[in-house]
Amino acid sequence: MSEHIELKAGISPLEEYGMSTERGFLCRYDASTVDLPKSWSDAASVALRLPQVLPSGSVRAFLQAHLPDPAELPDAATLTDEQTHMATVHYTFMVQSYIWGEAAHSNRLPACLAIPMVALADRLGQQPLLTYSSYVLDNWALIDPAKPLALDNIAMVQSFLGGKDEAWFVLVHVAIEACAGQVLSHFEGIIEAVSQEDVARVQQHLEHTASIWAPINALFDRMPEHCDPYIYFERVRPYIHGWKDNPALPNGVIYEGVERYGSAAQAFRGQTGSQSSIIPSMDALFGVGHAADPLRKFLDQLHEYRPQGHRRFVDDVRASSRLRPFAQKVESQGLNDAYNANIQAMADFRTRHLEYAASYINKQGKKTSGNDTEVGTGGTPFMRYLKKHRDETKGNLL
């Protein structure tokens, strides 16, 4: 099959991947309007009490006493997609709270959490613990539905301890994801224009995407406004760790009552912003590659933690895009400048990520159970590789 015919197929419209121009990878419904059926809604009510219960130091007894028996829950297969995502948000927060919510961590999940958590994860094709999708993508609502999605008009639905710092950390990510939708909406046109060797149209698309990265990076710059590094490290980060490559849980977690797991402990990676699909999508479109190292291996593993539609989008973009060889081949300073502007924007984003990793984690200097300053919440020694990946991005400038 010729390259031209292969490229002609391109990628599908965003809607077919569960995405949109207005919201990017965010859920396309308003989370606050999703009604859960009885028993599932009872469990959600229990989850929403976490900010009151976690400070007591007895969250495990509370959850075991108040959660519905798994036998009382309607089959997860009977839930709508929206209900499945919302139930997953609530259960993932309870799962994390049970493992990390007391002075001594637990390496066992009781059946009242484990069985429904695995059933929901199976329905979504994801992993049975907190992921970026249940922490960020599906965990927000509009304050005023009549107004646009913006940082001053969104609220966090489910939280651990609550408070401005925890909410701001999540909501900045929500706002970034929404803004990125405008970038993603150009991907189909870019891939099509490259296949037609339309230099002017490719350049026009790239100039648009580069211009959108300015507000994205401006949103990322706002993280310190209401999320203090100390509070993040002590009151936000402890709850979002996973149990793979985590010294505090060297054997993982036993999911009691889950037949296919038996008594074998399971090891899953924790929630991390690296599960966002924005940068992987950009890397795929622009042909940015990274030399083999532990972080690259880790990032490759995170692909399975993304929602299925988002995984397919990244894969389709990677398989369809010939943007970089096209830009290298044609003699167009305008196209090269537009391409480089996007590469530089990605490098700037990665630079800010590196700076935040240093100030919010590495410089905090305290290691508590599962909250190691040298290891990310996903379970990798991140600091030594973030700079390398930023530099490799800049190395793609034409």
Side-chain angles (χ1 to χ4, degrees):
M1 181 178 291
S2 71
E3 180 176 302
H4 179 73
I5 295 173
E6 179 180 301
L7 288 172
K8 188 176 181 181
I11 61 174
S12 302
L14 294 184
E15 291 72 22
E16 295 189 22
Y17 301 101
M19 301 159 57
S20 68
T21 300
E22 297 76 19
R23 299 186 175 188
F25 292 108
L26 296 173
C27 63
R28 291 185 288 169
Y29 53 87
D30 189 334
S32 64
T33 66
V34 177
D35 291 323
L36 292 170
K38 186 64 176 169
S39 294
W40 288 107
S41 63
D42 292 342
S45 297
V46 172
L48 291 171
R49 293 182 62 187
L50 287 175
Q52 290 77 48
V53 177
L54 275 169
S56 73
S58 56
V59 68
R60 292 178 193 139
F62 171 79
L63 291 173
Q64 289 185 286
H66 291 87
L67 280 173
D69 186 299
E72 299 174 5
L73 291 167
D75 192 331
T78 65
L79 299 175
T80 66
D81 287 345
E82 290 83 359
Q83 289 172 335
T84 304
H85 282 280
M86 281 314 305
T88 300
V89 168
H90 296 304
Y91 266 94
T92 54
F93 272 72
M94 290 190 288
V95 164
Q96 302 294 133
S97 297
Y98 194 93
I99 298 299
W100 301 116
E102 297 187 14
H105 60 270
S106 173
N107 65 351
R108 306 181 75 90
L109 271 180
C112 61
L113 279 169
I115 293 175
M117 181 71 266
V118 171
L120 292 167
D122 286 350
R123 170 78 189 277
L124 295 177
Q126 291 184 258
Q127 310 301 328
L129 79 170
L130 185 72
T131 62
Y132 183 79
S133 56
S134 54
Y135 193 48
V136 173
L137 302 180
D138 302 332
N139 190 27
W140 61 276
L142 294 171
I143 296 171
D144 184 346
K147 294 181 179 179
L149 195 168
L151 195 48
D152 62 356
N153 191 40
I154 48 177
M156 191 176 177
V157 175
Q158 174 71 61
S159 58
F160 289 110
L161 290 176
K164 181 183 288 186
D165 298 81
E166 181 181 358
W168 190 254
F169 177 72
V170 169
L171 296 176
V172 167
H173 285 86
V174 171
I176 288 171
E177 294 283 346
C179 193
Q182 300 171 56
V183 175
L184 302 168
S185 69
H186 285 274
F187 278 34
E188 186 177 8
I190 291 170
I191 291 171
E192 181 183 272
V194 168
S195 72
Q196 296 171 354
E197 299 191 349
D198 188 335
V199 175
R201 192 150 64 96
V202 174
Q203 179 180 331
Q204 184 179 42
H205 278 297
L206 294 182
E207 288 172 347
H208 280 299
T209 57
S211 70
I212 298 163
W213 270 96
I216 290 175
N217 282 324
L219 284 167
F220 206 16
D221 287 344
R222 295 187 63 185
M223 183 64 76
E225 286 183 19
H226 300 298
C227 184
D228 178 83
Y230 173 83
I231 295 178
Y232 167 78
F233 189 79
E234 295 289 342
R235 302 179 191 174
V236 178
R237 190 174 190 256
Y239 300 102
I240 62 179
H241 287 271
W243 28 95
K244 182 178 178 64
D245 297 335
N246 191 324
L249 292 168
N251 299 314
V253 167
I254 295 172
Y255 286 68
E256 295 178 348
V258 179
E259 187 174 347
R260 74 170 185 269
Y261 292 163
S263 59
Q266 306 299 307
F268 300 111
R269 296 204 176 277
Q271 190 288 138
T272 165
S274 295
Q275 290 173 6
S276 169
S277 298
I278 298 172
I279 293 296
S281 296
M282 292 289 289
D283 281 350
L285 180 68
F286 285 84
V288 174
H290 300 286
D293 62 39
L295 183 58
R296 175 186 162 182
K297 181 180 178 181
F298 163 75
L299 294 175
D300 289 344
Q301 291 174 2
L302 288 187
H303 196 44
E304 66 185 83
Y305 288 75
R306 297 188 173 98
Q308 291 177 317
H310 303 174
R311 271 181 257 163
R312 189 160 53 86
F313 178 77
V314 175
D315 290 341
D316 286 355
V317 171
R318 183 177 293 112
S320 302
S321 179
R322 299 296 182 272
L323 174 58
R324 182 169 178 79
F326 176 71
Q328 290 173 318
K329 179 181 70 173
V330 301
E331 296 181 1
S332 170
Q333 188 60 50
L335 177 59
N336 284 0
D337 289 346
Y339 180 94
N340 285 343
N342 283 273
I343 293 292
Q344 186 60 55
M346 283 194 284
D348 291 344
F349 189 88
R350 281 181 155 129
T351 294
R352 182 64 75 234
H353 184 197
L354 175 63
E355 292 169 352
Y356 287 158
S359 62
Y360 280 77
I361 302 171
N362 207 243
K363 291 181 180 178
Q364 294 307 306
K366 179 183 178 183
K367 297 179 182 180
T368 56
S369 179
N371 201 18
D372 192 332
T373 58
E374 299 296 326
V375 179
T377 52
T380 185
F382 59 94
M383 282 298 296
R384 74 187 76 162
Y385 301 111
L386 287 177
K387 182 178 184 296
K388 175 176 174 288
H389 281 216
R390 187 274 313 276
D391 292 344
E392 287 173 338
T393 301
K394 294 177 71 173
N396 282 267
L397 291 167
L398 297 176

